[in-house]
Amino acid sequence: MMENDTETVNKIYNLKKERKAVILVHNYQLGEIQDIADFIGDSLELSQKAARTDARVIVFCGVHFMAETASILCPDKVVLLPDLNAGCPMANMVTAEQLRQRKKELPDAAVVSYVNTTAEVKAESDICCTSANAVRVVESLNNEKILFVPDKYLGHYISTKINKEFFLWPGFCPTHTRIMPQHILELKENYPEAKVVVHPECRPEVIALADEVLSTGGMCRYARRDDVSQMVVSTEIGIIYRLRKENPGKRFIPVSEQAICPNMKLITLEKVLESLEEMAPEVKVSGDIRLKAKMAVDRMLEVA
Ligand code: 13P
Ligand code: SF4
């Protein structure tokens, strides 16, 4: 670590104590941010952690919808997102108004929204899900028709596991769709012993090549197994830092250097420090939207 970084980290630790703050970090964050995490995880694990923390301030090192979910669950806490530009392009592929229109066309369908959505869209949904619990969430519903928003690839993946009628929104993750079958086929040839783990936001042709289809948290658990010594990792490459740190001696092969989410990389040590100094930028969901969105998130957490 550079001398400046050490100084910044020490300031963060001191201020964190003073503010009674907790630092929650998504698996795709930069290594320097992963290193200062109180808790690191996938979207589901982070929302569960946010729901239970007794800290007064949550510094959310991830993207906007994750900070919103924390605010939905913890109305009395201050939720800081160190860079407000850290959005999720997929979450912006569906608006509440568009969803209201589609619901009119499908009155019998249950609306299942991926957590990668705005609070307004969650407020229009029956239940949320993440990549870790999507199949269980849809299985828990009595409806035969499912309107799934916004990720068409995650929705398609679930539809291959459950015998219900799916209506998929045409959204997708720009980072995961850059991963092509050819990337995996080449790596399989170069690393024949490696297990191939794939995030369900990937294209179906990529998922077809997987040994396991897992959330980022699922990948971290899978990597610890004794029978896994090499892993081709088909998701955003930030996770490689955590996998290598937690599993010295094992080999982790990123699927493609292009699998980068630029939004996830906007959070830096300097911005974390500044957010704790200024107690801003804050992400706050309030009023009716929060109450309605909370019902969808709570239903998901009950299933999980
Ligand atoms: P996970 O919930 O698996 O961490 O995925 C979040 C995400 O944004 C994937 O792109
Ligand atoms: Fe959104 Fe994709 Fe980035 Fe995840 S990796 S935050 S889904 S753009």
Side-chain angles (χ1 to χ4, degrees):
M1 203 186 281
M2 311 265 291
E3 208 176 305
N4 272 352
D5 287 353
T6 316
E7 217 180 293
T8 309
V9 168
N10 287 336
K11 284 186 188 164
I12 290 172
Y13 284 153
N14 289 336
L15 207 49
K16 192 179 73 165
K17 259 197 220 141
E18 210 176 287
R19 303 273 197 233
K20 296 195 175 23
V22 66
I23 301 180
L24 302 186
V25 173
H26 187 265
N27 289 323
Y28 296 158
Q29 290 285 292
L30 293 171
E32 64 185 40
I33 301 297
Q34 296 193 21
D35 286 341
I36 58 158
D38 290 305
F39 183 80
I40 177 165
D42 66 17
S43 321
L44 178 63
E45 293 162 342
L46 292 172
S47 56
Q48 287 167 328
K49 203 73 192 174
R52 289 190 203 128
T53 181
D54 51 13
R56 283 168 51 188
V57 177
I58 296 175
V59 183
F60 215 112
C61 300
V63 291
H64 194 268
F65 75 82
M66 297 179 179
E68 270 194 342
T69 307
S71 172
I72 289 165
L73 290 166
C74 317
D76 303 330
K77 298 189 200 313
V78 176
V79 180
L80 302 173
L81 179 63
D83 188 330
L84 276 187
N85 292 317
C88 167
M90 171 157 66
N92 297 329
M93 290 180 188
V94 55
T95 65
E97 184 47 35
Q98 289 167 331
L99 181 53
R100 276 192 289 273
Q101 290 306 320
R102 189 74 178 118
K103 277 165 65 172
K104 281 185 198 153
E105 294 161 9
L106 294 166
D108 310 335
V111 180
V112 181
S113 66
Y114 194 20
V115 277
N116 300 42
T117 44
T118 60
E120 288 78 8
V121 166
K122 288 184 176 73
E124 291 292 332
S125 306
D126 293 304
I127 190 165
C128 290
C129 74
T130 75
S131 59
N133 62 12
V135 173
R136 262 177 298 147
V137 162
V138 175
E139 267 171 351
S140 77
L141 301 169
N142 292 326
N143 309 56
E144 279 311 305
K145 291 183 182 173
I146 305 293
L147 171 54
F148 191 85
V149 294
D151 186 0
K152 63 178 173 183
Y153 293 132
L154 176 61
H156 176 267
Y157 172 67
I158 310 164
S159 77
T160 64
K161 302 276 164 198
I162 300 176
N163 191 17
K164 289 183 189 267
E165 194 179 357
F166 282 79
F167 299 86
L168 304 179
W169 200 267
F172 60 92
C173 162
T175 298
H176 284 83
T177 45
R178 280 198 287 275
I179 302 171
M180 293 296 173
Q182 201 52 36
H183 291 124
I184 310 255
L185 291 171
E186 273 167 29
L187 292 171
K188 267 180 180 270
E189 193 142 319
N190 294 340
Y191 303 92
E193 305 291 310
K195 299 283 188 200
V196 177
V197 297
V198 173
H199 196 277
E201 285 176 18
C202 289
R203 297 164 183 274
E205 312 87 88
V206 171
I207 290 183
L209 299 170
D211 291 310
E212 300 286 340
V213 181
L214 297 166
S215 72
T216 62
M219 289 180 187
C220 293
R221 280 189 296 281
Y222 185 75
R224 292 183 205 126
R225 279 169 47 156
D226 289 340
D227 58 340
V228 176
S229 59
Q230 297 183 40
M231 226 165 91
V232 169
V233 185
S234 181
T235 191
E236 209 274 346
I237 58 174
I239 194 174
I240 299 287
Y241 181 85
R242 175 173 176 194
L243 290 169
R244 289 184 179 150
K245 188 172 161 185
E246 290 183 351
N247 303 277
K250 295 194 180 188
R251 180 172 224 163
F252 298 98
I253 305 124
V255 70
S256 158
E257 293 301 327
Q258 292 163 34
I260 289 197
C261 175
N263 295 283
M264 283 281 179
K265 311 301 172 202
L266 288 174
I267 313 293
T268 60
L269 285 177
E270 288 69 27
K271 289 182 197 169
V272 170
L273 177 59
E274 215 176 287
S275 70
L276 277 165
E277 282 168 348
E278 309 287 329
M279 289 296 279
E282 188 181 352
V283 171
K284 189 142 193 77
V285 183
S286 48
D288 214 30
I289 297 287
R290 186 188 84 81
L291 291 177
K292 286 188 185 155
K294 188 169 183 297
M295 288 203 302
V297 177
D298 280 344
R299 283 181 78 186
M300 167 185 86
L301 292 175
E302 277 161 30
V303 173

